[in-house]
Amino acid sequence: MRKLRIGVIDLVTRQPTRALWARVMHANLASIMPQVVATWCEEQGNDVTFVCYTGFENLVDELPNDVDIVFIGAFTQAAQLSYALSNLFRSKGAITVIGGPHARCYPEDAQKYFDYVLGFTDKETIRNVLEDCTPNRPIGVRMAASQQPTTLPGVRERWKFIEMTLQKAPLIKIVPMIGSLGCPYTCSFCTDSVIPYQQMSFDVIKEDLRFLLQKFKRPRIGWHDPNFGVRFDDYMDAIEDAVPPGSTDFIAESSLSLLSEPHLKRLNQNGFKAILPGIESWYDMGNKSKTGRRTGLEKVHHVSDHINTILKYIPYVQTNFVFGLDVDEGAEPFELTKRFLNMAPGAFPAYSLLSAFGEAAPLNLEYQRDNRIVPVPFHFLNNNHAMNVKPKHYSWPAFYDHLVDVSKHSFSWPAITKRYKTIKATIPRWMNVLRAVSSEGFGRIKYHTSMRQHLETDRHLRRYFELETDELPQFYVDRVRQDLGPLWEWLPEGALHHDPYAYLKSESEKAQSTAPLNLESIEAGQKADSSA
Ligand code: B12
Ligand code: SF4
């Protein structure tokens, strides 16, 4: 195979920025897979230029002009940016490849703008792309491994790319690690609800932890495991075996069901400083929060007690919620969230708007079948800037009224002060303040309030959200143009639009060609329901 000049781009964000939060944190939100792809490409003897785009770089200048092939890792919010980039690189003669959440969720759309669209990606997949490396236009080729990779290069192998990324993080440097893929739980809205849980090598983890102690006085590690600590004792044994207790700080996303008091003690001893459990809903997802059939106020009491216990051991707790689920009705879910915050004032609340990311989760078929998908441009699909499922039990203005109200309550000065006073550790308490006064707190209140007003005053926007027209509101076009800046010129014609029913159509086609396969079995998922 000839030696190739390869570009690998990790799109952490979708637009240029100068915000303080972005300066401090964006490089810490980098993905693992682009680093993995860069490592595999180098291993195969190619020249690799790696760029993690945090919003401060000039993307076009950072890559050499004469790359043969460019890999882009993109979340859906960066889809339009990635399409414009792909067009630009193709104009210079390069082959383009997209992988990551967007490629997994909207493969048919991505095929229109990339030569290769990758699903599950292992070393073999990358080798196949590099061997093939031909233009596939107008429709790109889809490639995927049959399952998630069983091993990935660890920190030591990815170090070159980690180091150059973390040079962009001025204050806090968080190294991304992963030890497991998939999840035993079956939260219907989640992309991992149908991906079997799989633990990766503890030997690699141990080696990486030791390696990082040579690189940092006190390493900070962000675990990217979708649900950290499913094999809790084995994980803790590995950490305890590798590094002295408390020598390394850890951050992880973990379900409440895994955070019992004995587990919390052990996490505390091992330096876990931040934990991000998903509460999601006061009426659903009882398994993962270990609240069983308890719902409503009863669940609020139970969960707030649990969160306060967690806060005794872990200084930073972010609780994740999803608003707009079909189980929600009236003011109650929002009022209960406010009650929860009063009862667990130290938790930082993160609110997601129900988002059906293409074929991310089987539940999306249901929304598509019920014609409830608003074709909001990808650029706004990041759980915060738009909800693309018409709510079952709310009018749009009523939904936004509740959302603005709960956001104002959560990021009011009394709530910020109470959160600050409840947390004693310096970095976590100030981190909470910074997040509240920046784009996540105040910024979100401003954005949701303006959306609420637009829904009232902009008739076209309202009709669009009511699914009465699919003509894109000017508001969205202007915003994408502004965010893409000079790259707007490279956005291919039609690339602001997508087929919101592509998943349903492709499943129906599959069902027809492989009858008697039935959609119910797809929706039920391939895993047995786990109620651990
Ligand atoms: C860990 C995680 C994070 C971490 C790390 C993010 C990161 N940069 O990787 C943090 C907390 C920072 C985060 C932030 C966000 N996240 Co997040 N996150 C996850 C989570 C829990 C696990 C993803 C993961 O790393 N899996 C392990 C990897 C190895 O597996 P994988 O993702 O399946 O990837 C496979 C393939 O897609 C492919 N691949 C992946 N990347 C690439 C790149 C290239 C170049 C190639 C070739 C292949 C390839 O190879 C992998 C192996 O087969 C998922 C939910 C889930 N359960 O999967 C959400 C998820 C990915 N996040 C999501 C979202 C929306 C966000 C945010 C936009 C939220 C927000 N508003 O801030 C931000 C965006 C951050 C960013 N960098 O752009 C959505 C994405 C949906 C979408 N289509 O865009 C998901 C799916 C959750 C959901 N809501 O359903 N997230
Ligand atoms: S526990 Fe988390 S990762 Fe697992 S299925 Fe539920 S939302 Fe997804």
Side-chain angles (χ1 to χ4, degrees), residues 2 224 345 390 432 441 489:
R2 79 184 164 100
H224 283 203
K390 199 170 175 221
N432 279 333
E489 303 301 329

Side-chain angles (χ1 to χ4, degrees), residues 10 12 25-36 75 101 148 152 158 162 165-166 174-183 191-192 197-198 200 205 220-229 235 250-254 272 276:
D10 177 6
V12 168
M25 283 308 288
H26 272 182
N28 292 314
L29 307 181
S31 299
I32 289 179
M33 278 308 288
Q35 301 169 0
V36 165
F75 283 57
Q148 287 285 34
L152 290 172
R158 290 185 279 121
I162 295 175
T165 303
L166 290 185
I174 303 174
V175 178
M177 277 183 71
I178 190 158
S180 65
L181 293 167
C183 181
T191 191
D192 269 324
Y197 177 78
Q198 141 197 348
M200 298 166 101
I205 293 175
R220 278 201 183 93
I221 292 166
W223 292 104
H224 283 203
D225 303 44
N227 191 359
F228 178 86
Y235 236 124
F250 296 104
I251 301 169
E253 267 186 70
S254 192
F272 279 72
L276 289 71

Side-chain angles (χ1 to χ4, degrees), residues 252-293:
E253 267 186 70
S254 192
S255 53
L256 282 175
S257 59
L258 298 172
L259 299 173
S260 63
E261 197 150 359
H263 281 190
L264 289 167
K265 280 190 186 142
R266 212 160 163 204
L267 288 170
N268 170 286
Q269 280 156 11
N270 284 325
F272 279 72
K273 291 292 184 313
I275 208 100
L276 289 71
I279 296 170
E280 326 297 4
S281 157
W282 298 117
Y283 298 97
D284 206 350
M285 263 68 80
N287 283 350
K288 68 182 286 202
S289 53
K290 225 178 177 179
T291 46
R293 296 220 179 102

